[in-house]
Amino acid sequence: ERAAAKAQRSALERDLERAQHELSVKSDEALSLTMQVEQLTADLREARNQLESAQRIASRLEGDASGRSKELERTIADLRAKVTDLQAQISGMEQTIKALAEEAKDARD
């Protein structure tokens, strides 16, 4: 009876060690994902700032463009393209952040 209890205790201790290791790995994964989300959030904030700046510049140039040269019109078109590109980047970052946040949540659960 003692031998059986000791064997059962050893098995339970091994199970506990395994579970603690898995928990540690999951915790590390969740921390890593959280850090990725924070970095992407900072990148997204910067991209939004760039977008707002490009939109302000484009609007200001557009207002001044009447009667200006073709070069100014090309600059406005370039800025509009940059705005479109930044909007696409922001959208992609938002989707990535959502996916990573879900992964981090799942890893914590």
Side-chain angles (χ1 to χ4, degrees):
E1 211 174 284
R2 276 190 160 178
K6 189 173 182 179
Q8 185 179 15
R9 180 178 176 178
S10 292
L12 288 173
E13 286 174 348
R14 282 191 306 273
D15 289 346
L16 176 61
E17 287 176 12
R18 221 180 347 256
Q20 287 173 332
H21 176 72
E22 288 177 21
L23 179 60
S24 176
V25 168
K26 291 290 184 183
S27 178
D28 290 346
E29 289 173 358
L31 178 61
S32 175
L33 290 170
T34 299
M35 289 170 49
Q36 288 178 23
V37 167
E38 289 173 358
Q39 181 59 50
L40 283 170
T41 301
D43 292 347
L44 175 60
R45 192 175 309 113
E46 178 61 27
R48 283 185 174 149
N49 289 340
Q50 289 178 7
L51 171 61
E52 289 173 9
S53 177
Q55 287 174 324
R56 281 193 304 273
I57 292 168
S59 293
R60 190 169 44 244
L61 289 175
E62 194 172 50
D64 294 342
S66 59
R68 296 248 176 159
S69 71
K70 292 291 179 187
E71 183 177 330
L72 183 55
E73 290 175 14
R74 280 192 299 275
T75 301
I76 291 169
D78 290 346
L79 284 169
R80 292 278 180 219
K82 183 175 182 180
V83 166
T84 300
D85 182 53
L86 286 169
Q87 287 171 327
Q89 287 180 26
I90 287 171
S91 178
M93 287 178 183
E94 288 172 336
Q95 294 304 315
T96 302
I97 287 170
K98 286 178 187 175
L100 287 173
E102 280 299 316
E103 269 188 59
K105 181 180 179 253
D106 291 346
R108 283 191 296 268
D109 294 343

